[in-house]
């Protein structure tokens, strides 16, 4: 870990705690997910890079998404953790205390601080995998995916620093909405997408539109796997 990355994690009081992280993995993956879902399906796992920087861009339909991602892409599978960029509202109270110790860090979606953005870029430069929900919040209804531009701007900032980051569209699907005990869950990793070399607003918007299509396709595959396909949106 670089000194700059360590300093920024310290400034934000976040990082992978050697005690709480393994315990959380045990509680969430071995207990909570197994009790909640009778089947947990992972699709197209070959699209997930095992090394180097990567941005995971998942759909967000339920709070279970944040547990499914480490199950399918976390330490037990890839040998590295999922670092989540979450909203400031999620970092309050007891939940925020735990999230900080699991490597999550907050971002103000309206006015992201430079400290947060630099930490995200440092993580990518360090070859880690970063999870950003580009829809911004949980969308419980089936509707066309609409993305904020924050993810592509982050990737562009990393690119300017010389860090080429593949972006993986990820779709999550549940056999019931909201997910109920003993239902089924699936996660699908789409093909890696590469940011265009031209770093303009127009290029960023085109990339964001293509990412939304990739996320929709991945979500459709996940929903089909649990027997609840999406209707045309």
């Amino acid at each position: 870990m670089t000194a700059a990355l360590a300093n920024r994690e310290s400034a934000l009081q976040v990082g992978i705690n050697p005690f709480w992280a393994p315990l959380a993995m045990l509680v969430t993956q071995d207990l909570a997910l197994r009790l909640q879902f009778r089947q947990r399906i992972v699709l197209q796992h070959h699209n997930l890079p095992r090394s180097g920087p990567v941005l995971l861009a998942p759909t967000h339909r339920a709070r279970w998404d944040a547990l499914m991602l480490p199950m399918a892409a976390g330490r037990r599978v890839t040998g590295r953790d999922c670092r989540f960029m979450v909203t400031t509202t999620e970092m309050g109270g007891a939940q925020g205390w735990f999230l900080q110790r699991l490597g999550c860090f907050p971002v103000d979606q309206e006015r992201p601080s430079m400290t947060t953005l630099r930490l995200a870029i440092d993580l990518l430069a360090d070859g880690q995998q970063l999870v950003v929900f580009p829809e911004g919040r949980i969308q419980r209804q089936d509707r066309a995916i609409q993305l904020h531009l924050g993810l592509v701007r982050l990737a562009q900032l990393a690119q300017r620093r010389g860090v080429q980051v593949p972006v993986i569209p990820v779709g999550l699907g549940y056999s019931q909405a909201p997910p109920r005990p003993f239902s089924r869950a699936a996660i699908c990793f789409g093909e890696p997408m590469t940011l265009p070399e031209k770093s303009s607003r127009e290029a960023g918007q085109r990339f964001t539109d293509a990412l939304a299509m990739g996320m929709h396709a991945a979500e459709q595959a996940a929903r089909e796997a649990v027997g609840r396909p999406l209707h045309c949106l």
Side-chain angles (χ1 to χ4, degrees), residues 74-143:
R75 189 182 301 186
R76 290 179 173 176
V77 179
T78 64
R80 53 184 180 169
D81 295 290
C82 292
R83 301 297 300 267
F84 284 82
M85 179 184 282
V86 302
T87 62
T88 53
T89 56
E90 293 181 279
M91 295 296 284
Q95 172 180 280
W97 188 89
F98 280 106
L99 290 178
Q100 285 179 319
R101 283 149 184 80
L102 301 180
C104 303
F105 59 99
V107 60
D108 185 333
Q109 292 176 303
E110 299 298 326
R111 294 182 177 179
S113 71
M114 287 307 299
T115 302
T116 297
L117 292 175
R118 285 170 179 159
L119 172 59
I121 294 170
D122 283 342
L123 289 170
L124 294 171
D126 195 52
Q128 299 194 38
Q129 58 181 358
L130 179 62
V131 181
V132 178
F133 291 103
E135 292 175 282
R137 63 184 64 183
I138 295 176
Q139 302 291 341
R140 302 186 188 277
Q141 305 298 321
D142 290 347
R143 60 185 63 173

Side-chain angles (χ1 to χ4, degrees), residues 116-178:
T116 297
L117 292 175
R118 285 170 179 159
L119 172 59
I121 294 170
D122 283 342
L123 289 170
L124 294 171
D126 195 52
Q128 299 194 38
Q129 58 181 358
L130 179 62
V131 181
V132 178
F133 291 103
E135 292 175 282
R137 63 184 64 183
I138 295 176
Q139 302 291 341
R140 302 186 188 277
Q141 305 298 321
D142 290 347
R143 60 185 63 173
I145 293 176
Q146 296 183 343
L147 306 183
H148 295 280
L149 292 175
L151 183 144
V152 70
R153 288 172 180 164
L154 173 61
Q156 287 174 332
L157 287 172
Q159 188 179 65
R160 289 171 193 166
R161 184 169 157 178
V163 182
Q164 299 296 326
V165 185
V167 179
I168 311 296
V170 184
L172 291 112
Y174 303 96
S175 58
Q176 296 174 318

Side-chain angles (χ1 to χ4, degrees), residues 43-49 168 189-192:
L43 302 172
Q44 300 181 28
H45 198 264
H46 61 275
N47 285 326
L48 182 65
I168 311 296
F189 296 95
E191 293 186 5

